[in-house]
């Protein structure tokens, strides 16, 4: 009798734990306000497959690995194709997943645009592309990579690219302004880069750029840390970098995670660097399965191999379950306020100053080149005909 009572009293907490613990990364992420995503391709999402089962089982966010880049969406000037992005976005909608948009402006995979020179022409190309792709996918995308990899690896300013050659240091201001005209408050606007996850010259340069943009009241909402990493990653520095970006009022998303020869500890350490910070909102792996990784099928860099889940997944679910409730509450509050645009004093100041900014539009390079257009509070052009979408 005594023994039975002891067993019964032990059984209660065990039972309670097993019903409370989440069964997937997506569910555990949702419980702490974190999107858990993966890059995918529309041709992997038709019919039935173990790949699809795995994607649906563990993730609640997707991003096109390639299909929403410049070249795939605008193969020749002014001719747009959205088929790939539509396939992924339909899948996201059908499965209740969020989506990232990757990417408007990048120097790579930009096809014919790389041959365009001159400020007026480049502005025209940039605006048309962002208006069209942004207009088509608006309301389907939670986070947009407006700019990808525009910072030099040495961290001494902007990378030399065809975009930068034409626009100089106005490149980021211009791209964010164009994106904001189309997206308005319907999605969060990001700067995304690699090799700047922790503390180094490149991440300092990106931090300084972000600070300048926030102080100039540019419509930037977040920084994407690509996170193409290797075993032995320095999670402490990554956490410090996320923290300082949070002090600017910016979201951070880990946007393209793969960890070469990653051990479970690397995955958990990276997740914890995110969980420690209220402003870290998305954890996105660059693919689902090693067999299709851009690094090569032997990379041991993702969470599945040949359709088999790795032990990392369960460890990540447990790490998510142990997240500090105080940080989680702060993250949820941060997200609930919509964009960082209204969640931080600096950003509030930006909104309040929007009227002044628009009145002084001629002093802003991006606005002065757009044929004297009048902009409304969302940065939309009031004088031009409807945007081309
Ligand atoms: C960069 C880009 C991605 C992708 C990877 C390699 O990180 O941002 O879109 O091309 O390189 O797959």
């Amino acid at each position: 009798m005594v023994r039975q009572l002891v067993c019964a009293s032990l059984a209660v907490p065990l039972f309670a734990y097993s019903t409370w613990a989440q069964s997937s990364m997506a569910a555990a992420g949702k419980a702490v306000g974190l999107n858990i995503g993966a890059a995918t391709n529309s041709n992997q999402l038709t019919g039935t497959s173990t790949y699809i089962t795995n994607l649906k089982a563990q993730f609640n966010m997707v991003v096109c690995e390639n299909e929403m880049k410049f070249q795939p969406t605008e193969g020749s000037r002014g001719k747009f194709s959205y088929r790939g992005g539509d396939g992924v976005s339909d899948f996201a909608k059908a499965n209740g997943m969020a989506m990232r948009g990757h990417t408007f402006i990048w120097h790579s995979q930009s096809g014919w645009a790389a041959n365009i020179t001159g400020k007026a022409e480049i502005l025209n190309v940039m605006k048309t592309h962002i208006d069209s792709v942004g207009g088509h996918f608006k309301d389907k995308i939670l986070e947009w990579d407006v700019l990808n990899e525009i910072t030099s690896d040495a961290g001494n300013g902007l990378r030399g690219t065809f975009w930068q050659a034409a626009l100089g240091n106005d490149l980021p201001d211009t791209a964010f302004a164009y994106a904001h005209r189309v997206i308005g408050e319907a999605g969060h606007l990001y700067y995304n880069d690699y090799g700047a996850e922790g503390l180094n010259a490149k991440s300092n340069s990106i931090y300084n750029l972000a600070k300048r943009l926030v102080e100039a009241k540019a419509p930037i909402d977040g920084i994407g840390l690509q996170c193409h990493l290797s075993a032995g990653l320095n999670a402490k520095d990554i956490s410090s970098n996320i923290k300082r970006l949070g002090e600017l009022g910016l979201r951070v998303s880990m946007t393209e995670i793969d960890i070469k020869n990653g051990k479970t500890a690397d995955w958990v350490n990276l997740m914890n660097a995110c969980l420690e910070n209220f402003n870290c909102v998305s954890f996105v792996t660059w693919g689902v399965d090693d067999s299709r990784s851009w690094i090569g099928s032997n990379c041991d860099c993702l969470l599945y191999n040949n359709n088999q889940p790795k032990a990392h997944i369960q460890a990540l679910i447990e790490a998510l379950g142990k997240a500090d409730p105080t940080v989680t509450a702060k993250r949820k509050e941060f997200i609930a306020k919509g964009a960082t645009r209204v969640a931080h004093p600096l950003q509030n100041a930006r909104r309040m100053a929007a009227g002044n900014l628009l009145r002084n539009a001629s002093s802003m390079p991006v606005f002065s080149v757009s044929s004297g257009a009048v902009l409304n509070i969302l940065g939309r052009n009031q004088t031009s005909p409807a945007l081309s979408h």
Side-chain angles (χ1 to χ4, degrees):
M1 183 61 185
V2 172
R3 181 175 294 167
Q4 276 170 353
L5 278 175
V6 169
C7 288
S9 65
L10 277 178
V12 171
L14 282 176
F15 177 75
Y17 176 78
S18 64
T19 52
W20 171 82
Q22 303 292 347
S23 56
S24 72
M25 294 192 298
K30 191 159 182 245
V32 299
L34 189 64
N35 303 301
I36 307 290
T40 187
N41 300 281
S42 59
N43 65 6
Q44 293 179 274
L45 300 178
T46 51
T48 54
S49 65
T50 313
Y51 170 87
I52 294 175
T53 305
N54 291 340
L55 180 61
K56 292 204 289 200
Q58 295 295 341
F59 300 90
N60 58 15
M61 178 182 241
V62 283
V63 55
C64 290
E65 184 169 7
N66 291 300
E67 290 162 302
M68 279 179 60
K69 292 174 179 171
F70 197 106
Q71 218 276 335
T73 49
E74 193 178 352
S76 58
R77 191 164 180 174
K79 299 272 180 292
F80 291 89
S81 164
Y82 306 122
R83 207 178 314 144
D86 282 345
V88 174
S89 129
D90 289 348
F91 176 85
K93 188 173 176 204
N95 293 289
M97 295 173 163
M99 187 164 170
R100 303 194 82 256
H102 176 79
T103 174
F104 284 142
I105 301 301
W106 190 25
H107 59 278
S108 187
Q109 297 186 46
S110 294
W112 58 270
N115 299 322
I116 304 292
T117 54
K119 184 169 175 176
E121 276 288 88
I122 279 287
L123 285 170
N124 186 291
V125 168
M126 180 186 277
K127 183 172 185 304
T128 303
H129 186 80
I130 292 177
D131 280 355
S132 303
V133 179
H136 181 84
F137 290 104
K138 185 184 168 193
D139 298 322
K140 297 178 176 167
I141 302 286
L142 182 65
E143 300 175 1
W144 285 97
D145 289 336
V146 174
L147 289 164
N148 197 36
E149 304 179 355
I150 69 159
T151 298
S152 74
D153 286 343
N156 54 3
L158 298 190
R159 175 191 292 275
T161 65
F162 65 95
W163 299 110
Q164 177 273 339
L167 301 180
N169 288 333
D170 290 341
L171 165 59
D173 310 63
T174 308
F176 278 109
Y178 282 162
H180 188 233
R181 284 173 201 240
V182 185
I183 309 300
E185 312 301 307
H188 301 135
L189 306 181
Y190 275 67
Y191 174 84
N192 189 51
D193 215 326
Y194 68 88
E197 291 79 14
L199 299 174
N200 56 36
K202 187 169 179 181
S203 69
N204 290 344
S205 181
I206 292 170
Y207 172 81
N208 289 333
L209 171 63
K211 187 165 187 288
R212 178 180 78 66
L213 291 170
V214 168
E215 287 171 356
K217 300 163 183 63
I220 180 173
D221 296 304
I223 299 293
L225 306 179
Q226 289 187 6
C227 295
H228 295 294
L229 301 167
S230 298
L233 57 90
N234 181 342
K236 190 167 166 281
D237 275 9
I238 297 174
S239 182
S240 303
N241 193 32
I242 298 172
K243 183 169 185 289
R244 68 175 171 171
L245 292 165
E247 285 159 6
L248 294 178
L250 293 172
R251 295 169 170 250
V252 169
S253 294
M254 295 184 176
T255 55
E256 304 183 15
I257 305 168
D258 40 38
I259 309 178
K260 254 185 259 172
N261 303 315
K263 304 280 174 282
T264 298
D266 294 306
W267 283 93
V268 169
N269 291 343
L270 186 64
M271 175 61 85
N272 283 337
C274 181
L275 291 174
E276 281 158 22
N277 291 285
F278 75 93
N279 60 315
C280 188
V281 295
S282 299
F283 185 94
V284 181
T285 60
W286 204 242
V288 173
D289 198 293
D290 290 346
S291 62
R292 291 281 297 255
S293 167
W294 71 293
I295 299 177
S297 56
N298 292 328
C299 66
D300 193 7
C301 63
L302 292 169
L303 295 173
Y304 287 83
N305 186 29
N306 291 324
N307 288 324
Q308 296 305 309
K310 298 184 189 175
H312 316 326
I313 292 180
Q314 191 52 39
L316 289 174
I317 294 170
E318 282 163 25
L320 284 157
K322 290 185 200 149
D324 179 341
T326 314
V327 181
T328 295
K330 209 172 162 194
R331 180 180 301 107
K332 287 185 171 175
E333 191 190 340
F334 182 65
I335 292 166
K337 282 186 181 156
T340 52
R341 294 175 193 159
V342 291
H344 187 275
L346 270 178
Q347 307 267 344
N348 280 335
R350 184 176 80 197
R351 275 292 157 268
M352 284 186 277
N356 294 336
L357 181 149
L358 298 177
R359 273 191 290 283
N360 297 332
S362 62
S363 66
M364 290 194 60
V366 59
F367 296 138
S368 61
V369 294
S370 56
S371 60
V374 176
L375 305 173
N376 69 15
I377 193 73
L378 292 183
R380 289 183 190 282
N381 184 336
Q382 295 183 319
T383 56
S384 64
L387 296 168
S388 53
H389 58 267

